[in-house]
């Protein structure tokens, strides 16, 4: 049931209606079979793994940018510090403008989703 709630929250089940009190109702015909549920879990795991891989690549880019700023500061200690080093702990939500902190946060969120769907898939496979 926990994974069904997650699939509903993530918008991956059709036929879902929310009551006035927020309770979720699924029409009997829309309830997925066991095999459909496992397939949805596998699909979501692949999707979140791809998102985590992309987030990790962004972290690498941001680390390199901070490293470049550090090298420039070593070469010229009197120069103004680079933007990436200065903004290291700043959080920005925008996809175009990022910092290392933002990139790490995105990686953390993606890895959390990977864990949820990975655990669900293992539990689903062990029931067979």
């Amino acid at each position: 049931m926990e994974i069904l709630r997650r699939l509903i929250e993530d918008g991956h089940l059709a036929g879902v209606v929310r009551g006035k009190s927020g309770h979720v109702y699924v029409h009997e015909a829309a309830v997925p079979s066991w095999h459909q549920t496992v397939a949805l879990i596998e699909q979501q795991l692949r999707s979140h793994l791809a998102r985590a891989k992309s987030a990790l690549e962004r972290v690498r880019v941001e680390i390199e940018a901070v490293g470049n700023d550090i090298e420039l500061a070593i070469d010229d200690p009197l120069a103004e510090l680079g933007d990436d080093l200065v903004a290291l702990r700043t959080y920005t939500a925008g996809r175009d403008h990022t910092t290392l902190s933002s990139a790490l946060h995105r990686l953390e969120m993606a890895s959390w989703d990977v864990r949820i769907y990975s655990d669900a898939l293992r539990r689903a496979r062990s029931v067979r």
Side-chain angles (χ1 to χ4, degrees), residues 1-2 5 12 25 36 39 41 48-49 51 56 64 66-67 72 79 88 98 101:
M1 282 311 249
E2 178 182 322
R5 270 190 231 113
H12 299 293
Y25 300 94
Q36 290 170 325
I41 294 169
H48 289 296
L49 283 166
R51 199 173 111 230
L56 177 61
E64 183 178 351
V66 170
L72 289 172
L88 178 75
T98 188
S101 292

Side-chain angles (χ1 to χ4, degrees), residues 35-49:
H35 295 291
Q36 290 170 325
T37 302
V38 171
L40 275 171
I41 294 169
E42 289 173 344
Q43 175 186 348
Q44 287 308 301
L45 177 57
R46 283 191 298 275
S47 173
H48 289 296
L49 283 166

